Amino acid sequence: MSHNEIHLDGRRVLVTGAARGLGASFAQALVQAGARVVISDVLHDAGQQLAQDLGPHAHYVPLDLLDAASVQGGVQAAVQWLGGLDGLINNAAITNSGGKGMNELSADTWDLVMDVNVRGTWLVTAAARAHLAASGSGRVVNLASDTALWGAPRLLAYAASKGAVIAMTRSMAREMGADGITVNAIAPGLTLVEATAYVPQ
Ligand SMILES: NC(=O)c1ccc[n+]([C@@H]2O[C@H](COP(=O)([O-])OP(=O)(O)OC[C@H]3O[C@@H](n4cnc5c(N)ncnc54)[C@H](O)[C@@H]3O)[C@@H](O)[C@H]2O)c1
């Protein structure tokens, strides 16, 4: 199905980590389908440029998943610009944790990957929850990864974080279903973006 066949006219969507990579593609596809989209990230120049390129239905908001106050402020700013919230794509993540084996992986890297990919996904979703409930048909899509399913050597922290995303997706779906919010995860396979350019093809 091409983008043009999906109609999301007027839907209000926040995409995290959308300044580049898959998130930027999601933002572009959403705008093409008629949605209004907030692009959020810690890459401010790239995020602002993308919003400008996508036109009046896109807007950039800084949102750092490592900072609870930034998450609260970013979600508020997104909801304010959008006038509500119908969809959240939890796309932001640390995707390259250095390619080290489990005995070389540092505890700091482990913590960073978990803090962004797991804690960050929880914080954004919790901050967005009341707004998604007010929409009456809130939708959350979490980015997992096939590395959580097949076992990925030298990607221990990343794969573990994405396994946690799958587990959180189920818990969130059960907890928020009563508010009409659906929560799903997608688990892409390796997709070539700047962040995966280091992977041998
Ligand atoms: N590309 C692939 O092969 C692939 C495969 C499976 C899953 N995924 C998932 O897709 C999503 C997008 O990945 P990508 O491949 O486009 O990589 P990417 O690194 O380009 O995208 C991640 C984005 O998250 C942002 N980010 C990082 N730390 C952040 C923070 N603290 N606060 C806010 N934003 C932050 C980055 O700036 C970046 O824009 C990720 O969740 C990734 O795990 C990617």
Side-chain angles (χ1 to χ4, degrees):
M1 180 182 282
S2 81
H3 297 152
N4 296 335
E5 295 170 61
I6 304 169
H7 299 290
L8 296 171
D9 295 335
R11 294 298 172 114
R12 303 157 298 181
V13 185
L14 168 61
V15 187
T16 66
R20 70 179 191 193
L22 293 181
S25 296
F26 298 149
Q28 182 179 18
L30 285 160
V31 167
Q32 283 173 352
R36 295 176 65 236
V37 179
V38 164
I39 293 155
S40 69
D41 210 299
V42 290
L43 301 175
H44 307 312
D45 291 347
Q48 268 159 359
Q49 184 63 53
L50 178 64
Q52 197 177 314
D53 293 347
L54 292 183
H57 288 169
H59 179 69
Y60 178 71
V61 164
L63 192 162
D64 182 355
L65 292 180
L66 288 171
D67 177 351
S70 171
V71 170
Q72 288 295 335
V75 170
Q76 280 303 331
V79 168
Q80 198 168 355
W81 187 81
L82 292 166
L85 191 67
D86 304 301
L88 167 65
I89 302 185
N90 282 312
N91 168 81
I94 300 292
T95 54
N96 181 355
S97 51
K100 295 194 169 148
M102 62 185 283
N103 292 81
E104 289 79 45
L105 181 67
S106 75
D108 284 349
T109 299
W110 175 276
D111 289 346
L112 177 66
V113 171
M114 291 298 166
D115 284 351
V116 173
N117 300 9
V118 185
R119 182 174 177 271
T121 296
W122 157 58
L123 286 176
V124 174
T125 310
R129 180 179 184 174
H131 305 291
L132 291 164
S135 144
S137 59
R139 300 283 179 266
V140 179
V141 177
N142 294 330
L143 266 289
S145 162
D146 73 338
T147 57
L149 305 174
W150 59 262
R154 304 174 73 79
L155 276 173
L156 191 74
Y158 177 76
S161 77
K162 293 300 179 176
V165 166
I166 292 171
M168 281 200 301
T169 300
R170 294 200 172 100
S171 290
M172 287 172 173
R174 297 221 181 255
E175 194 167 331
M176 301 200 291
D179 292 328
I181 303 169
T182 66
V183 188
N184 289 283
I186 57 172
L190 180 62
T191 311
L192 188 59
V193 293
E194 288 165 58
T196 51
Y198 73 96
V199 180
Q201 303 300 305

